[in-house]
Amino acid sequence: MKFRGKIVDVACLNHFSRVVTTISKLTKMCVLRLTPDNLFFVLSGKVGNGGVSMWCELSQANFFDEYQMEGVSSEDNEICLEVTPENISRALKTVQNAKAVKVKLTKKHCPCLTVIAELPTLSSINRVVTHDVPVDVIPQRLWHEFKEPDMPDFDVSIYLPPLKTMKNVVDRMKNLSNFLVIEANLNGEMNLKIETDLVSVTTHFKDLGNPPWGDDASQDAGPSQSRDPDTMAEARVDIRRLQQFLMGQQVTPSRAMCNIVHQRVLHLILLHEDVSLQYFIPAVA
Amino acid sequence: MHCVVTGGNVKVLAKAIHSLSRIGDELYVEPQEDGLALRSVNSSRSAYACFLFAPLFFSRYSVPNRNNFRCKMAIKSVQAVFRSLASLEKTVEKCHIELDEQKNRLTFTLHCKHGLLKTHNLSFQDSESLQAVFDKDSCSNVFRAQPRLLVDTVMHFPPSLEEVTVSVSDERMWVRNHVEEEAEQSKAMLTELCLASDEFDHFAIQAHSSVTFCLKELRGLLVFAESTGLPVSIYFDEPGSPVVLSVTDSVLEGNFVLATLTDDPGLRKNSSRRGHTQPPPPPDDFMNDDMDSYLIAMDTSIVPGPSTAGPPTPPLAGSTCSKRPVATNHRTRIHSEEEEEGEEEGDSEKAEDSDRPPNKKFRSLFFGSVLPPSSQMNTQPVVSQEVLASDSEDDSQDE
């Protein structure tokens, strides 16, 4: 198992560190999967983390100037590590002005993801800072837990309003209730609702548009195509999870959408050039 | 006492008080012939800081009629006088510091723009002089750097980090975070920064050594150094003897004396069992017989000294002789980028050092109520070292 990547471009470094920071806001621990072409940050839905799961996919070529990896074997050319994204985020943040940053898998006192940065100085010798972020290597027999989640058989898919607007609404609602109902239809309408004994609040969004899922989601085409465009599909979710998702946004996505499986799951998707982030929040009764 | 501070110097004074507040809860004020001394020490007496403002720093400076007046007060209340640093610079034109002997009050009067006058009457307690015993000029390793370099270095470490280890070779300085236990080490993120000697204004190494000290106080000094733009000098010897950070210009001098860790886990384990038992005060020739020195002395006896001779004193450390094997296979992270190398080197060195009493925490600094400051400062280290070493000897008998 070997891994070594090098980032020279400041914009790439900045972008990468924002992606990692976004991840760190969503979860304390996650799995980093390295393949020859991609990096994945994965959180599989376990009870411990409130049943949420996450899948973030980056194409290495868009971030790294050099990227070498050697997986466990030539058939399974992958490396799977459990990491604390916050540590990586912190390491990257302190080296924003570096001339070059190397990320390596190293064996120190324990397996580490080592971030080495050459910092600019006035002297002839560069200042070098090394951050050793301890990681756990995940054995191959557990890899199956970290495969890409299937696209859920959603009832409604809809584009999200500007995340900032949504965040402001959700932040206010959080003061009133612990749960939020998100509902949407195929007519481009979405509502955020809270209901308590004392108060019911609903925020209506309209003309959001529904993404065409033609070929990709062909197997799902059945239910959503024949669906009455005005019928709402809804999911009641833990408001903190949704808030966490909206709060942590460091990447301004070019596309933000969500899929709702009626009373089952809320599936949020952010697309930004080469990065895609999917976040699943289970619905509660 | 009556001092008048004007213009930009008000901010300098305020920054000094702010950085002293990072050290301890009390501010010791002592108007001396050679200037106004402001000092502070932390509760475990492992960090001490002193600013001396020369008479020229003030537009008027007079020492009290009653000679050797000294007092201490809660540093928070003094900080409150200079609360808003930002507006201070713009609004305050001068600051009077006066001692009202009748009422036993120290009065800070801020003369602000538009004739606004702010008066703070602070009560104080009498105190003995607080003086750490250190001799930075005898330190084998001396560095001087612009505050920016150190600020940029410290920035890489998380705010929650307590201690850093600084190691030096002929041409490099390494700064890394200190992680206490092996177990924690596997979880903690380790950060290491390497600085080349030519980034420093001055870089003089006599001994390749490695010391661990608290980051908080260094950050405190950097607040001051950065705002005044004064270069910071660093003096240190070997693990266990204090590191001195200092800033100087023509009208002021600031010294921060920080205890360093004895990087000796084998022995450290041993002392943790003993918990925080306060060792008895050392014999009377150590210090003057007043309250402050008594407290200080209690702490000081944790300090191991290199010498093994001296009068027997009560228990501290049984460990030292018997635990020698432990000490030889311990982990040392001493002066090296190659850890393996460091370990070997460290071991051979440490075999001798294991004669020292065990140490869980920082060695405290030597303090005294220095009535005749100069003479005592010179003699004290020797005396105390003897005393301390004897502590450990006695201990082994005890167990």
Side-chain angles (χ1 to χ4, degrees):
Chain A
M1 264 193 308
K2 280 178 192 162
F3 166 69
R4 178 182 173 280
K6 188 173 177 186
I7 304 177
V8 177
D9 187 84
V10 180
C12 289
L13 180 60
N14 195 273
H15 189 22
F16 187 56
S17 111
R18 271 191 306 198
V19 170
V20 179
T21 306
T22 303
I23 305 289
S24 74
K25 296 278 161 64
L26 292 175
T27 176
K28 257 201 155 71
M29 302 286 280
C30 72
V31 169
L32 172 61
R33 263 180 65 190
L34 303 165
T35 67
D37 298 318
N38 291 305
L39 294 94
F40 303 93
F41 289 95
V42 189
L43 181 68
S44 65
K46 290 197 180 119
V47 185
N49 48 40
V52 296
S53 49
M54 178 191 74
W55 179 263
C56 179
E57 186 173 333
L58 325 175
S59 137
Q60 58 89 355
N62 284 312
F63 291 94
F64 290 90
D65 296 85
E66 287 169 35
Y67 185 94
Q68 298 154 353
M69 64 123 356
E70 209 172 279
V72 186
S73 62
S74 49
E75 303 91 68
D76 296 296
N77 197 10
E78 272 189 34
I79 298 173
C80 223
L81 306 168
E82 188 170 44
V83 299
T84 311
E86 210 221 315
N87 282 345
I88 305 178
S89 154
R90 216 183 59 216
L92 291 170
K93 267 188 198 163
T94 71
V95 298
Q96 281 305 305
N97 59 344
K99 286 189 198 164
V101 174
K102 274 187 250 173
V103 184
K104 285 201 286 193
L105 184 61
T106 54
K107 183 149 181 57
K108 303 241 171 152
H109 54 282
C110 64
C112 284
L113 210 53
T114 298
V115 178
I116 306 167
E118 278 178 53
L119 301 170
T121 58
L122 295 174
S123 92
S124 52
I125 307 165
N126 283 325
R127 200 183 297 168
V128 176
V129 59
T130 312
H131 295 281
D132 292 323
V133 181
V135 296
D136 279 326
V137 176
I138 295 178
Q140 210 167 347
R141 64 190 154 83
L142 297 177
W143 284 8
H144 62 89
E145 289 179 35
F146 309 107
K147 293 296 173 202
E148 180 163 15
D150 292 328
M151 175 64 71
D153 196 0
F154 54 80
D155 296 294
V156 167
S157 177
I158 192 164
Y159 289 119
L160 291 173
L163 294 181
K164 206 157 197 181
T165 314
M166 209 168 143
K167 176 182 177 289
N168 285 337
V169 171
V170 172
D171 283 350
R172 301 292 181 284
M173 287 182 164
K174 182 170 174 275
N175 297 329
L176 301 170
S177 173
N178 292 328
F179 295 97
L180 173 144
V181 175
I182 180 166
E183 58 177 21
N185 63 21
L186 291 174
N187 215 4
E189 291 170 335
M190 185 180 92
N191 303 326
L192 301 175
K193 300 200 293 193
I194 53 157
E195 264 166 51
T196 69
D197 295 342
L198 293 171
V199 64
S200 300
V201 182
T202 307
T203 306
H204 302 269
F205 296 93
K206 55 183 186 181
D207 302 325
L208 295 174
N210 300 90
W213 281 96
D215 297 336
D216 280 354
S218 53
Q219 79 264 31
D220 313 318
S224 43
Q225 218 104 105
S226 56
R227 198 183 160 85
D228 170 17
D230 288 329
T231 311
M232 293 285 185
E234 61 163 47
R236 186 167 180 265
V237 295
D238 185 337
I239 203 162
R240 285 171 307 169
R241 303 286 162 211
L242 184 62
Q243 195 192 26
Q244 219 173 23
F245 176 80
L246 296 167
M247 207 162 57
Q249 280 325 303
Q250 305 257 328
V251 183
T252 332
S254 49
R255 275 285 154 78
M257 58 189 106
C258 86
N259 299 329
I260 299 173
V261 184
H262 187 59
Q263 295 184 340
R264 295 289 295 282
V265 71
L266 175 66
H267 176 205
L268 298 148
I269 307 169
L270 302 183
L271 298 175
H272 181 72
E273 295 165 26
D274 41 340
V275 184
S276 78
L277 174 68
Q278 300 181 53
Y279 195 63
F280 296 80
I281 307 176
V284 289
Chain B
M1 170 178 85
H2 187 186
C3 319
V4 181
V5 187
T6 49
N9 281 0
V10 179
K11 194 186 166 197
V12 174
L13 181 68
K15 281 277 182 189
I17 287 161
H18 276 271
S19 45
L20 287 170
S21 74
R22 301 279 188 109
I23 304 278
D25 298 330
E26 282 174 325
L27 180 71
Y28 291 75
V29 179
E30 185 176 346
Q32 301 168 175
E33 288 294 340
D34 59 345
L36 180 67
L38 302 177
R39 305 187 173 104
S40 190
V41 63
N42 70 353
S43 58
S44 64
R45 311 253 152 182
S46 61
Y48 159 91
C50 170
F51 282 98
L52 183 68
F53 296 98
L56 277 174
F57 175 84
F58 303 92
S59 50
R60 177 175 165 196
Y61 182 81
S62 63
V63 288
N65 318 327
R66 169 155 73 100
N67 220 7
N68 63 42
F69 164 81
R70 303 178 188 92
C71 68
K72 64 176 178 182
M73 59 189 72
I75 204 159
K76 277 211 176 102
S77 52
V78 189
Q79 250 185 308
V81 176
F82 303 105
R83 186 171 288 133
S84 147
L85 281 174
S87 67
L88 206 64
E89 210 174 5
K90 283 180 218 140
T91 58
V92 179
E93 285 163 348
K94 63 181 172 175
C95 166
H96 285 248
I97 306 168
E98 259 171 298
L99 175 69
D100 184 339
E101 290 201 61
Q102 263 80 55
K103 290 188 200 152
N104 268 337
R105 290 279 184 273
L106 198 62
T107 306
F108 288 79
T109 317
L110 300 179
H111 295 253
C112 307
K113 276 192 182 141
H114 312 299
L116 196 66
L117 205 65
K118 294 180 189 169
T119 308
H120 299 256
N121 289 302
L122 306 184
S123 58
F124 59 80
Q125 281 175 283
D126 281 334
S127 81
E128 284 304 323
S129 174
L130 177 76
Q131 179 70 64
V133 180
F134 61 94
D135 180 10
K136 59 187 185 188
D137 297 324
S138 72
C139 284
S140 47
N141 298 325
V142 181
F143 314 90
R144 193 172 62 247
Q146 292 302 314
R148 194 72 240 162
L149 175 70
L150 297 173
V151 169
D152 283 347
T153 301
V154 166
M155 175 197 89
H156 292 276
F157 298 94
S160 59
L161 180 70
E162 299 206 349
E163 293 130 21
V164 285
T165 302
V166 172
S167 316
V168 288
S169 75
D170 289 335
E171 284 170 355
R172 300 284 172 94
M173 175 187 280
W174 287 270
V175 185
R176 57 171 82 89
N177 53 342
H178 175 79
V179 181
E180 188 112 355
E181 297 294 325
E182 299 273 347
E184 280 174 45
Q185 221 180 19
S186 63
K187 278 178 251 149
M189 172 165 155
L190 296 180
T191 298
E192 182 180 285
L193 191 85
C194 177
L195 302 168
S197 59
D198 55 358
E199 291 206 59
F200 291 80
D201 299 347
H202 179 76
F203 195 91
I205 302 290
Q206 280 176 39
H208 291 198
S209 61
S210 168
V211 292
T212 302
F213 55 91
C214 277
L215 192 52
K216 188 180 130 197
E217 287 84 12
L218 170 61
R219 287 196 161 115
L221 176 67
L222 288 178
V223 169
F224 180 83
E226 211 189 4
S227 82
T228 52
L230 293 176
V232 178
S233 302
I234 306 169
Y235 304 82
F236 67 84
D237 266 315
E238 55 186 10
S241 62
V243 53
V244 183
L245 306 165
S246 78
V247 287
T248 327
D249 82 0
S250 53
V251 292
L252 67 89
E253 181 180 352
N255 285 305
F256 280 48
V257 186
L258 313 179
T260 62
L261 211 62
T262 41
D263 199 11
D264 213 339
L267 294 178
R268 208 188 295 152
K269 223 168 269 166
N270 205 293
S271 69
S272 58
R273 150 172 68 78
R274 207 164 288 106
H276 291 288
T277 35
Q278 284 283 7
D284 46 29
D285 60 330
F286 185 33
M287 274 167 200
N288 300 298
D289 199 10
D290 60 69
M291 184 58 185
D292 271 322
S293 71
Y294 179 73
L295 283 174
I296 293 159
M298 297 223 298
D299 284 327
T300 334
S301 40
I302 303 168
V303 185
S307 144
T308 47
T313 26
L316 212 213
S319 58
T320 50
C321 308
S322 52
K323 287 291 155 125
R324 196 179 288 233
V326 180
T328 44
N329 58 14
H330 65 264
R331 151 195 75 102
T332 30
R333 305 183 68 234
I334 292 204
H335 52 177
S336 68
E337 65 244 83
E338 257 79 27
E339 300 225 326
E340 289 80 10
E341 235 180 79
E343 213 143 347
E344 271 174 43
E345 263 180 68
D347 282 349
S348 53
E349 275 177 31
K350 280 293 154 89
E352 269 178 69
D353 286 356
S354 62
D355 252 332
R356 291 194 292 230
N359 216 317
K360 178 166 186 216
K361 289 181 70 187
F362 288 103
R363 300 172 171 212
S364 290
L365 305 169
F366 299 134
F367 287 102
S369 303
V370 187
L371 289 174
S374 54
S375 67
Q376 206 164 2
M377 254 174 89
N378 297 337
T379 56
Q380 217 154 33
V382 185
V383 176
S384 42
Q385 277 172 359
E386 280 180 5
V387 168
L388 292 163
S390 67
D391 273 1
S392 58
E393 250 194 348
D394 209 62
D395 242 358
S396 38
Q397 289 164 10
D398 215 58
E399 286 196 24

